[in-house]
Amino acid sequence: MPMRTVRCGAVKPASARSGASRLRRVWWEVVCGVLRGAVPILIAWSVLAAQEPCGRCAGAGLVPCPRCASERDGVVLRCSVAAGCTTCRGAVDVECGDCSTAGSAAVSRLATRRTVVAQWLVARRRALASAADGKIRRVAGVLHCSTEHFDLIFAPARIASCPTSDPHRQLHLFAARLEAARARFVKVLGLQPADFRSVSATTTVAPRAGSGRSDDGRLAVFVLADPRDFRRVCAGVTGLVPQGIGTRSHDGAPRYAVLHDPGVLRDDAALHRNLVHNVTHLLLANIQPATCLGERGHGWLDAGLAHYFESLAADRPGTVTPRGGVSDSFCFQQHAQRPLTFDTGDWLAAARNLAAAGRLPAIARLIGQDTSDLDLEEHLAGTAFVAFLIETRGALAPLVRLLARGVGADEAVRKVWQVELRELIARFETWLPEGRGNAVGVATTGAERHAGRKPHHAALFVYTRGFVRPRHVAVVEKALRQRAAAHTSGFGLRRGKPVLALGPVSGTVRHFKGERITNTVWAAWPFVAVVEFALDGDPKATIDWLRRKRHSRDPGAWFLDPAGTYVEHINAEVVCHRDARYGYMAVVDTPTGDVIATNEFCIRARVDWAADTSGARGRTSRLGWWVRFDTSRSVEPRDWVEILEPLVDWRTARKAARGVLEVEPVGDPQRELAVWGSGSVQRFPVIPAGMRPCGR
């Protein structure tokens, strides 16, 4: 049988083909199995890779704005400079460009923050312009920032010796200083968050129109260099006409405005001290139940705490032991005055020197006096006593809470420390270095104070615009009605009817008596003087109205206004009023036209109390205001500026041997007053007999 030849690659037997298929299936199954196990691993790896934080933004999707690194100081929450940043528009963050994990959530958060900042800045600028009656210069040039507890409005002049010359960095520096001052105040007094009105969690709420301030519980602080802007802002923000370099108001949301005049606040340290001093007043008045202790007979505490914390302004934040540092800020009726010094500003050295000379006022004679009742030496004594209490008694919060609730000083001291006030004062007299044995004290305001007797309260207020303290509203309204009925006056005309109101009037000014028009005048400025006085001791109060030619340098050039029928004129318009706390007397004047531009005015209050049961001569008080109007820059009365300086019955006297700023009574209290905190004395004519007094 012939042989068959089989070539390689030819058709394999069936058994060979089935074996190869099995090998392929096995190989495929192995591959598929490997893939089935690898896919979850690959998926898990990709998920983990996606969860790996971005090296730049740590997964947040946002990174700090490279142009606003200084905004992340942990203090400032909103800043007008950051709001103008073209990169972040105030959000302080921008989108991360290295990852895409944040998605729309981060973009949405960023947009919300930008909107909030924009709304905040618009509200702040609008409120500032509204407060200044729309006439503030360069509203956009004023810097704003908000911290946890403060709104700072900042447009200073050049600040000498400041660590930075950049206004933006200065804004942050002073914002941090304000927060540090508050933190020290809270720590030293032992206060709790519940002691203050709560602060809103955001700053998106716009201020009330015309108020120029926040209504979210923050304290508003204004630092302005332009005098006219400053005066307009004061009128709109604090309701007070400036009577010094600053005004503050405690009702509602506390606020303070200061004129940064480099000739007065000469350097960075001086501005810092001024802000700390006045912010301390605001903080004390903001402790619940919010009340101004300085107007409730606790001037020693109000002034003493302000001076004490001011003297620590340059110390480390943790410092609480008094060092006798510089303290040169003083206030009168909520108005900051020009800086004055005790022994180059060292209050402790001044207190020691006065005590050694037997001139340090006795603390017992300060109890019951308002801050505006105190002279310079009494400010000093109050500061020393406050320092003694802090060092020896610790936290003063329990005492402050009781005083704010109306508890008297004697009872409050007894409840808090289980000791009588007189015993505490005796311990103070041995505590003050080099002041031991000064148990009596001598120096008190005016002639009666220098006789060693505690005076009764008396204060004189002049209102040149619409704001009037609540307790004076009733007597001012009575005085306006009385003036309208008694004398021809400069009125505004509204709906054909004469309306007598405080403040400058132009355009529709008429002379009226009652409702009868007598003639037309081109300008008028009605203003009112109110004297308040303690009712005990059978008081008799009178108001004297004096005038002299503008720019006169003769301190004796004052004459009665009006000169011819002075007694009859004043008696016809004076009104009296009383409440449960004080007696009040008010007189309105309505100078018109050239009288305003060419004259200046002096309003003097004289209060005399009857002799006491011992037969000693009764106590007296002599106070005044020097009022003049700057009409040089405009013929429009609404652009005029009033200037007021307080007059008191004591003057300063510097003793070169010790360098201590001391006070002494004016030479003739019946005819003389001195500009507050100076040796400049004004001399007045004899007042005719027959003046109508106000009393009980």
Side-chain angles (χ1 to χ4, degrees), residues 33 37 41 55 117 135 140 163 166 202 262 282 290 320 435 445 449 510 548 564 597 666 669 682:
I41 295 175
V117 172
K135 296 180 180 179
D166 178 17
T202 70
L282 295 183
V320 296
T445 300
R449 297 185 177 205
R510 302 289 188 274
R548 75 178 183 184
V666 294
Q682 303 296 309

Side-chain angles (χ1 to χ4, degrees), residues 78 80 120-121 123-125 127-129 131 136 138-139 141-147 150-156 167 171 174-175 178 207 211-214 218-225 229-230 233 237 254-260 271 275:
R78 304 277 188 273
S80 61
W120 166 83
L121 182 57
R124 299 311 305 161
R125 287 177 173 171
L128 178 63
I136 194 167
R138 297 194 322 108
V139 171
V142 178
L143 305 184
H144 300 257
C145 76
S146 291
T147 66
F150 293 93
D151 283 322
L152 178 58
I153 299 88
F154 199 70
L171 175 73
F174 278 92
L178 292 175
S211 71
R213 68 175 195 259
S214 302
R218 287 176 174 80
L219 278 64
V221 177
F222 297 75
V223 181
L224 302 172
D229 286 349
F230 167 69
V233 166
V237 171
R255 51 245 184 240
Y256 173 61
V258 61
L259 174 64
H260 182 227
L271 179 58
L275 293 180

